Every structure is written in structure tokens, then in C-alpha cells.
């Protein structure tokens, strides 16, 4: 029994991480109408920036280092848009997609240049987890769940309880119409990048706290985030949240019955099935 | 436009005339398709240091027949696909007759047929998969096959009284090959394999696999893992409060594992091909290493890479700078040769033998296991 409970808990954890990645990714898709392949690198840079500010020459404690890490990741997201995506805004989606792939390679190799390809950790001491109802959990894992909840609440408040969130939803519905009605589209797009980058940074840091830092860490998990987005309906923020958690759970529970060698195929199998059965998910669901 | 074409033509002709022919070059070039980026770059950096050490030592002594040995590094990016490209580039562009092959058995075996077809010698200093050299007569290894190690791990389990164990392994040619040899030997000796759990490389979360492996609280778990996967896994096992005796192979025996996973790897044990550290060859190697790099932190497989470069140089010296010359001379020069890693005589499968020892981690140090 504890075996199943622990699997569910692990599934939730993985799901939280996927959901944080998927929410940011889908938000950019909704407003700008393209899949940002470089989102994985925002995740990775977020984690590495924290590593930078905690190590030489800064030596900030974790909670202080979080602030510049978050700030610089947001700047990176905004810079990406300003330098590459903005001049390409009027071109077709394929061009944007390829540009995003290019940035992804550039940023990944850039990180490798600075920090090397080897695995790193933040260097915190490893602690035995607590046991609660036969489930073992660590402080980092509690932080993952709490931070995810926090992010969800903040995203909800921003999207549905603020003027800028309303503008964002309007721009995503119809950019031209939103412009005509006097919505500042530029400001809205900037705002979208800020939230998306911040979510990527938080997710990346949590992932690295729980595991390790590695230049490829964003890319690997981004694929799962794609699956989550498809599952929840492209462009739907809450769909991405549920999609992420669902995939995390499905992956972790499925291996109780089948060989662990097929763990990754679960997410992709679901993705393929969904595309076959409900191809309309690609067009996004309107609320 | 025609003028430009004309001049390009002229330049090409001139450069063809004045380009020195391949065999009158100033150095003996040896290709090295090793991992400088990607998932196993953590190993590659150490290999490069060991290869450079041997090369510099040789060149310091006047090189081979007055010519210097030069290593052409080509990053194989840790993927089978890029290993093939790297080896192909070394063969077609640099025209080397001998290549230091990629690490990780899957990567090596992907590139081996390319070297074999082009009739270029390729050598592995750390590939352990039993089928590693089956691509053909141009493929060699200076590292012992897992047929020996699989039996070593099985014997270790039996010796320690673990008759029922689950086995976890990296889902690639190396992991699968070693697992099969282990399972075969272990069952033959009366042991029972509780479960077989393959897992993917490069993942950040192995909790599910760990839960499945430790279902029913087995006293020991065999885990055939690499450094990166091992560090993630042992850390997560520690956090989850899993208490069992971990038994590993040789690929996890690295200071880097301790650095990454800290006290989570205290007490794990494993087998590894042993060679005496008391020999004069080893002492000389160690003092050379310390002199060049300032510490005695010799990376995993470093000694094998060092021996390999020496064997290549001796083979070029004996057989001449052609692939066939090197291939034939390798058998002759290696016969009875005592390197840092012991006797390097090649058997009919172009591999070497070895003895197996047991390592463990105590107080953050990798030491020989004694019970």
C-alpha cells in the first residue's frame, strides 16, 4: 500500500514540475501563436543563474540569490523576444519556430561554455526525508508543491483579477481587434514574457534543488511539457496545469505494472493517442 | 564572375601541387573521437588528460622515429549518431590510420563498423560490452570485457550471502550486456533474481524505479549504473530512506560520484577490474600525473587511456604509419607488455584479460573493500 501511495506522491511531484513548465510555454503560445522551443533553456538558465549567485564571487544565501536569478531569467526572456522574435513577428510561424530552435541551441551551448557539460549540484547537504503516512518526503519536495501552488495562485490573480491579465486574454483572442480597442499590445506581450520566464526560472530552480544541474535539463523536461500542453488543449493555461500533473501521475503509476524501460513512452503514447482521437486540441480551446 | 571562377581554379591547382603528400607529414596523427560535450563529457575530460599525459611524455622523449605524436580530438557529443560523424571525419578529412574510439559501449559499437569498413584501427580504453569488438579485425580494446565482470558481481553477491537480489541497469548495450552475464551466472550458482529494472540515461527523477526495485525490502540491490545516473539515484534513495546494500559495477567507481552524491553513497560496494598499484609502472605513471596536473586525482579509466596511447605509439614504431601495419604490430607489441594496468596481451577477440577486486566508499573515499 505504501508503495502505491509513494508512487502517487512522486507522480504529483513530477507533475508539478511539468505543469510549471507547461503553463509558461502555453501562455507564450496563446499570445504569440508559436511554440517557444527555447523555453527549456530559460528553465536551465534560471537554475544555473541561481548557482552563479550562490557561488563565487557572490556567495549569496539561497533566498537572496533567488532575486537576481529570477530577475536575470526574466531579462533573458525579454531579450530573446526583443532581439529575435520581435523582428520576426509578422513572418510565418515556421520561421519563428526555427528561430526558437536556434536560440535554444545558442543558450544551451552558451551555458556549457561557462559551466561545462558536467553535472553540478547546489551543494546542500543531503537529508533523509520525513515519513508521513508511509510516504517519505523531503523539504525540497515540500517546497516544490508549495511553490507550484503559489505560482498557480499568482497566475490566477494576474490573469483574471488584473487589467493586464484581461488585456493578455484579449490579445490572445485577437491581436488586431485588441489593438483597435486601445489595448497596448506591446506591453501585454512583454508582460507575457515576464510571467513565462518567471515560471520557467522557478520550475528550473525547484527541479535543480531536487535533482542536479545539467545543460540539457531543460530540453529533457520540455518534451514532457509539450505532452502536457497537448493533453490540456494548446493555449489553455489550466489545461496545461492538469495535463502536467496527469502525465506525472500516469508515468509513475504505469511502471507499477509494466517495465520501467517504457516509462518515457507513456507520455508520448498518450500524446499520439490524443492527436489521433481528438486532433482539434491543436487549435486550442476557447474559454 | 568568370574571372573569379578562374582564380579559384588557379588557387585550387596551386594548393594541390604544393600540399605535402599524406605520408611526408611532420607528425604522426592519431584520431580521438571522445566525448567533450553531452551526457558523458564528465568522463571525457579525464580521458583527454590521460591521453595528453602519455602523448607529452612520448614527445618529450623524442617522439616516434624523430616525429612527434599528435592527437586530433573530435568531439563525439556523447551520442551514437555524432560518434559516427566524428569517426568518419577523422578517417576522411584527417586521414588517420588509428583512432581512439568513443567511450560508452553503445557509442563505440555504433562507430566501430565505420572504422572496420574503412580499414582503420579503432581502440577502446573503457568499453566493456562483451560484443564490443565483434565488428571486425580492426577493432581492439585494452579494457576487459564484462563477461568477466558479470561473473565477478555474481560471485560477490554469493560471497556476501545475498541469494535474492533485484537488478537495476542502464538501458543500453553496456547495461544490458552486463545484466545478462550477471543473471546467467547468478542463476547458475543458485541465486534468485527478484526483478529486472531497466532505466533510461540522463533522467533527473528515478524515484519510481527505486520504489519498484526495493519493493519487499531486499537486503541488497545490484545497480549497474554510471556516475551521473548513480549520483541522482543514490541521492534520491537516501532521501526516501531506502536502506539496502547497493552493489555496483566499475563504471560508478569515481571520485566524481562521491562529490555529487556525498553521504548518500557511503557504504556502497562494487567490483572493478584491478591492477596492482605497487608496480613500478604504476608509480611512474602516478608521479608523472602529479607533476603535470598538480594532484593525484586520477580519473576513472585514466590508466587504460594512458596504456592505450603507449601501445599505439609502439605499434606505429614497429609496424609503420599504416592501418594494416598498426593492426598487425599491435598484437606483437602488446604481447607480454606490462602497462600501468597490467598485462596487455591481446586474445583472439582483440581484448585483454583482468582480475577483479571490490571497492567501497568510506568517509568519502574510494577504498578497497575488506570484510
Amino acid at each position: 500500500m505504501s508503495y502505491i501511495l509513494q508512487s502517487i506522491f512522486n507522480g504529483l511531484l513530477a507533475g508539478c514540475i511539468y505543469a510549471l513548465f507547461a503553463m509558461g510555454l502555453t501562455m507564450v503560445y496563446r499570445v504569440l501563436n508559436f511554440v517557444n522551443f527555447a523555453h527549456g533553456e530559460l528553465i536551465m538558465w534560471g537554475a544555473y543563474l541561481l548557482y552563479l549567485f550562490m557561488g563565487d564571487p557572490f556567495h549569496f544565501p539561497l533566498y537572496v540569490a533567488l532575486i537576481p536569478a529570477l530577475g536575470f531569467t526574466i531579462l533573458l526572456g525579454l531579450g530573446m523576444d526583443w532581439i529575435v522574435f520581435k523582428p520576426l513577428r509578422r513572418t510565418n510561424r515556421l520561421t519563428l519556430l526555427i528561430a526558437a530552435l536556434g536560440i535554444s541551441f545558442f543558450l544551451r551551448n552558451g551555458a556549457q561554455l561557462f559551466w561545462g557539460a558536467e553535472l553540478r549540484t547546489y551543494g546542500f547537504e543531503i537529508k533523509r526525508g520525513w515519513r508521513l503516512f508511509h510516504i517519505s518526503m523531503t523539504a525540497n519536495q515540500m517546497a516544490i508543491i508549495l511553490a507550484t501552488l503559489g505560482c498557480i495562485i499568482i497566475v490566477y490573480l494576474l490573469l483574471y483579477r488584473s487589467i493586464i491579465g484581461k488585456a493578455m486574454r484579449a490579445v490572445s483572442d485577437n491581436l488586431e481587434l485588441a489593438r483597435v480597442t486601445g489595448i497596448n499590445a506591446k506591453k501585454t506581450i512583454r508582460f507575457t514574457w515576464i510571467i513565462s520566464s518567471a515560471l520557467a526560472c522557478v520550475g528550473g530552480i525547484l527541479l535543480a534543488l531536487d535533482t542536479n544541474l545539467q545543460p540539457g535539463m531543460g530540453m529533457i523536461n520540455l518534451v514532457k511539457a509539450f505532452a502536457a500542453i497537448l493533453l490540456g488543449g494548446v493555449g489553455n493555461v489550466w489545461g496545461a496545469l492538469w495535463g502536467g500533473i496527469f502525465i506525472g501521475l500516469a508515468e509513475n503509476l504505469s511502471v507499477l505494472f509494466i517495465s520501467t524501460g517504457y516509462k518515457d513512452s507513456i507520455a508520448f503514447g498518450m500524446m499520439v493517442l490524443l492527436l489521433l482521437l481528438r486532433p482539434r486540441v491543436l487549435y486550442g480551446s476557447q474559454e | 564572375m568568370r574571372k573569379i571562377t578562374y582564380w579559384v581554379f588557379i588557387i585550387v591547382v596551386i594548393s594541390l601541387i604544393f600540399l605535402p603528400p599524406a605520408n611526408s607529414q611532420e607528425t604522426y596523427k592519431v584520431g580521438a573521437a571522445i566525448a567533450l560535450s553531452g551526457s558523458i563529457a564528465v568522463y571525457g575530460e579525464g580521458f583527454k588528460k590521460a591521453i595528453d599525459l602519455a602523448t607529452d611524455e612520448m614527445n618529450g622523449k623524442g617522439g616516434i622515429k624523430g616525429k612527434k605524436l599528435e592527437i586530433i580530438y573530435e568531439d563525439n557529443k556523447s551520442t551514437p549518431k555524432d560518434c559516427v560523424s566524428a569517426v568518419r571525419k577523422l578517417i576522411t578529412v584527417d586521414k588517420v590510420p588509428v583512432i581512439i574510439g568513443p567511450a560508452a559501449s553503445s557509442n563505440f559499437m555504433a562507430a566501430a563498423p565505420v572504422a572496420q569498413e574503412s580499414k582503420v584501427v579503432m581502440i577502446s580504453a573503457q568499453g566493456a560490452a562483451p560484443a564490443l569488438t565483434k565488428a571486425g579485425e580492426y577493432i581492439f580494446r585494452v579494457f576487459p570485457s564484462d563477461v568477466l565482470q558479470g561473473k565477478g558481481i555474481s560471485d560477490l553477491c554469493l560471497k556476501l550471502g545475498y541469494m535474492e537480489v533485484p537488478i537495476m541497469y542502464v538501458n543500453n548495450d553496456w547495461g544490458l550486456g552486463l545484466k545478462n552475464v550477471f543473471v546467467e551466472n547468478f542463476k547458475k550458482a543458485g541465486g534468485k533474481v527478484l526483478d529486472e529494472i531497466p532505466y533510461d540515461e540522463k533522467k533527473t527523477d528515478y524515484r519510481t524505479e527505486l520504489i519498484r526495485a526495493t519493493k519487499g525490502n531486499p537486503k541488497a540491490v545490484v545497480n549497474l549504473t554510471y556516475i551521473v545516473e548513480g549520483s541522482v539515484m543514490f541521492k534520491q534513495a537516501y532521501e526516501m530512506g531506502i536502506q539496502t546494500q547497493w552493489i555496483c559495477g566499475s563504471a560508478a567507481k569515481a571520485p566524481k560520484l562521491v562529490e555529487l552524491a556525498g553521504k548518500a553513497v557511503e557504504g556502497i560496494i562494487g567490483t572493478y577490474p584491478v591492477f596492482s598499484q605497487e608496480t613500478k609502472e604504476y608509480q611512474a605513471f602516478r608521479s608523472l600525473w602529479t607533476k603535470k596536473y598538480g594532484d593525484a586525482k586520477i580519473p576513472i579509466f585514466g590508466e587504460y587511456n594512458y596504456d592505450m596511447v603507449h601501445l599505439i605509439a609502439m605499434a606505429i614504431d614497429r609496424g609503420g604509419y599504416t592501418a594494416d601495419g598498426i593492426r598487425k604490430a599491435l598484437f606483437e607489441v602488446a604481447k607480454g607488455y606490462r602497462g600501468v594496468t597490467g598485462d596487455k596481451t591481446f586474445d583472439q577477440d582483440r581484448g585483454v584479460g583482468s582480475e577483479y577486486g571490490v571497492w567501497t566508499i568510506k568517509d568519502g573515499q574510494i577504498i578497497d573493500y575488506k570484510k
Side-chain angles (χ1 to χ4, degrees):
Chain A
M1 188 58 199
S2 67
Y3 175 59
I4 293 170
L5 282 178
Q6 183 77 56
S7 292
I8 293 175
F9 179 72
N10 291 348
L12 275 177
L13 269 181
C16 282
I17 300 271
Y18 297 155
L20 279 177
F21 295 166
M23 280 162 72
L25 191 61
T26 208
M27 230 178 254
V28 168
Y29 180 88
R30 239 183 93 165
V31 173
L32 295 172
N33 223 2
F34 81 103
V35 178
N36 180 17
F37 268 101
H39 194 72
E41 275 51 51
L42 285 177
I43 293 166
M44 179 263 293
W45 271 85
Y48 269 99
L49 281 167
L50 184 74
Y51 179 80
L52 176 77
F53 288 110
M54 281 171 66
D56 285 328
F58 303 101
H59 293 292
F60 294 146
L62 176 66
Y63 50 90
V64 179
L66 271 174
I67 299 161
L70 205 60
F72 277 97
T73 314
I74 290 172
L75 279 182
L76 193 66
L78 287 173
M80 222 152 79
D81 184 52
W82 192 64
I83 296 168
V84 183
F85 297 131
K86 200 175 159 205
L88 297 174
R89 201 93 81 208
R90 301 258 166 223
T91 60
N92 66 27
R93 290 160 71 178
L94 195 65
T95 316
L96 281 167
L97 197 80
I98 292 169
L101 266 178
I103 300 178
S104 158
F105 274 106
F106 176 75
L107 288 178
R108 189 157 64 243
N109 289 320
Q112 198 160 314
L113 188 72
F114 284 127
W115 290 289
E118 59 181 323
L119 203 71
R120 284 163 194 274
T121 66
Y122 288 132
F124 292 116
E125 210 182 330
I126 308 163
K127 291 196 184 77
R128 290 254 191 238
W130 311 302
R131 291 204 83 83
L132 215 68
F133 309 112
H134 301 293
I135 300 172
S136 109
M137 56 183 84
T138 65
N140 286 341
Q141 291 166 347
M142 293 307 291
I144 289 179
I145 291 177
L146 290 178
T148 310
L149 281 176
C151 284
I152 292 167
I153 292 169
I154 291 171
V155 167
Y156 173 80
L157 290 179
L158 282 173
L159 275 184
Y160 294 93
R161 290 285 180 270
S162 74
I163 298 290
I164 189 90
K166 220 174 205 172
M168 214 171 122
R169 285 184 288 145
V171 169
S172 73
D173 282 342
N174 189 326
L175 180 65
E176 296 308 320
L177 208 61
R179 275 203 178 123
V180 170
T181 49
I183 288 172
N184 186 340
K186 275 188 189 146
K187 199 173 142 197
T188 314
I189 290 172
R190 219 178 302 144
F191 179 71
T192 310
W193 278 105
I194 292 176
I195 303 185
S196 169
S197 312
L199 285 175
C201 180
V202 171
I205 288 173
L206 291 172
L207 180 67
L209 273 175
D210 194 33
T211 58
N212 290 310
L213 291 127
Q214 203 190 330
M217 62 186 273
M219 203 61 202
I220 299 166
N221 288 288
L222 193 68
V223 196
K224 300 289 172 58
F226 281 140
I229 287 176
L230 280 178
L231 210 61
V234 178
N236 183 342
V237 177
W238 306 124
L241 170 67
W242 294 120
I245 290 178
F246 185 77
I247 285 188
L249 280 173
E251 267 187 351
N252 279 273
L253 289 172
S254 64
V255 293
L256 298 180
F257 314 106
I258 59 168
S259 167
T260 46
Y262 299 111
K263 189 173 162 187
D264 277 342
S265 62
I266 298 294
F268 301 117
M270 273 195 306
M271 208 159 104
V272 172
L273 258 180
L274 208 75
L275 286 175
L276 286 173
L277 299 178
R278 271 184 61 204
R280 267 185 308 160
V281 289
L282 270 185
Y283 304 111
S285 58
Q286 301 296 327
E287 284 153 61
Chain B
M1 190 59 211
R2 265 173 78 184
K3 216 171 177 177
I4 296 175
T5 326
Y6 172 77
W7 278 107
V8 168
F9 179 74
I10 294 286
I11 291 169
V12 169
V13 170
I14 291 179
S15 51
L16 279 179
I17 294 170
F18 286 96
L19 217 69
N23 46 12
S24 77
Q25 52 203 332
E26 293 307 302
T27 55
Y28 286 129
K29 286 184 190 160
V30 170
I34 67 175
L36 299 173
S37 66
S39 63
I40 53 169
V42 54
Y43 291 97
E45 288 166 25
F47 301 162
K48 186 170 180 297
K49 276 175 141 181
I51 294 168
D52 285 344
L53 181 72
T55 313
D56 289 352
E57 182 196 0
M58 213 113 50
N59 289 338
K61 287 178 185 164
I64 308 161
K65 289 180 179 154
K67 282 190 192 174
K68 282 194 170 17
L69 192 66
E70 186 191 349
I71 310 286
I72 315 260
Y73 288 102
E74 193 63 38
D75 183 11
N76 71 30
K77 302 193 180 75
S78 308
T79 69
K81 180 176 109 340
D82 290 301
C83 283
V84 172
S85 329
V87 166
R88 204 163 262 154
K89 188 242 163 194
L90 287 168
I91 294 172
T92 53
V93 178
D94 299 305
K95 302 213 179 341
V96 296
V98 51
I99 293 173
I100 295 169
S105 299
S106 306
N107 294 351
F108 187 89
M109 284 159 80
V114 178
Q116 173 66 25
E117 277 164 29
S118 316
K119 295 197 168 27
V120 166
V121 177
M122 188 156 101
I123 311 181
S124 167
Q126 57 281 310
L132 192 78
T133 57
K134 71 165 184 208
E137 70 219 24
Y138 286 87
I139 313 300
F140 290 73
R141 58 146 52 109
V142 296
F143 189 78
S145 157
D146 269 339
V147 174
L148 302 164
Q149 168 147 244
K151 187 164 183 315
I153 298 176
S154 166
D155 289 347
L156 178 65
C157 289
L158 298 168
K159 201 176 92 188
L160 297 176
Y162 300 125
M163 296 305 289
E164 293 187 347
V165 294
I167 179 163
M168 308 177 76
Y169 59 96
V170 182
N171 202 359
N172 65 12
D173 285 334
W174 170 75
L176 196 65
L178 184 51
K179 185 230 35 166
N180 286 340
V181 181
F182 169 82
V183 169
E184 192 187 313
N185 278 289
F186 195 57
K187 278 185 180 160
K188 216 189 288 169
K192 190 178 165 203
V193 179
L194 294 173
D195 198 358
E196 294 182 10
I197 301 120
Y199 54 82
D200 289 326
E201 289 170 72
K202 288 197 286 190
K203 297 274 284 286
T204 47
D205 181 1
Y206 290 109
R207 295 192 186 89
T208 324
E209 286 87 343
L210 287 166
I211 291 183
R212 169 119 173 221
T214 52
K215 194 176 169 187
N217 299 319
K219 273 191 236 141
V221 180
V222 176
N223 189 356
L224 309 173
T225 183
Y226 291 136
I227 300 173
V228 173
E229 288 74 16
S231 70
V232 176
M233 217 176 257
F234 294 131
K235 228 162 93 176
Q236 290 176 347
Y238 185 87
E239 286 172 351
M240 286 160 69
I242 292 172
Q243 280 170 349
T244 185
Q245 176 62 60
W246 293 101
I247 298 173
C248 303
S250 57
K253 177 183 173 278
K256 188 82 192 171
L257 180 78
V258 186
E259 185 190 322
L260 289 170
K263 62 184 176 192
V265 291
E266 275 294 303
I268 66 171
I269 58 178
T271 61
Y272 71 111
V274 279
F275 42 83
S276 169
Q277 304 202 346
E278 309 298 320
T279 61
K280 64 176 193 305
E281 287 87 1
Y282 189 86
Q283 300 294 343
F285 165 75
R286 193 160 54 194
S287 71
L288 258 181
W289 183 283
T290 319
K291 211 168 98 193
K292 185 167 163 82
Y293 297 116
D295 58 39
K297 277 188 192 164
I298 295 160
I300 178 168
F301 307 130
E303 298 90 344
Y304 290 93
N305 277 281
Y306 176 86
D307 275 354
M308 174 177 59
V309 176
H310 274 275
L311 284 173
I312 291 173
M314 285 190 299
I316 293 176
D317 190 24
R318 167 91 56 114
Y321 188 61
T322 62
D324 274 303
I326 292 170
R327 179 176 67 85
K328 287 185 191 122
L330 267 175
F331 284 102
E332 299 166 20
V333 296
K335 190 159 190 191
Y337 173 72
R338 293 211 65 86
V340 175
T341 58
D343 190 351
K344 296 281 95 175
T345 309
F346 287 115
D347 55 27
Q348 74 274 21
D349 292 326
R350 300 165 302 283
V352 295
S354 178
E355 300 199 332
Y356 281 85
V358 182
W359 57 274
T360 185
I361 295 172
K362 200 178 169 215
D363 302 327
Q365 298 293 321
I366 297 176
I367 56 166
D368 277 336
Y369 179 77
K370 284 184 193 76
K371 201 188 176 183

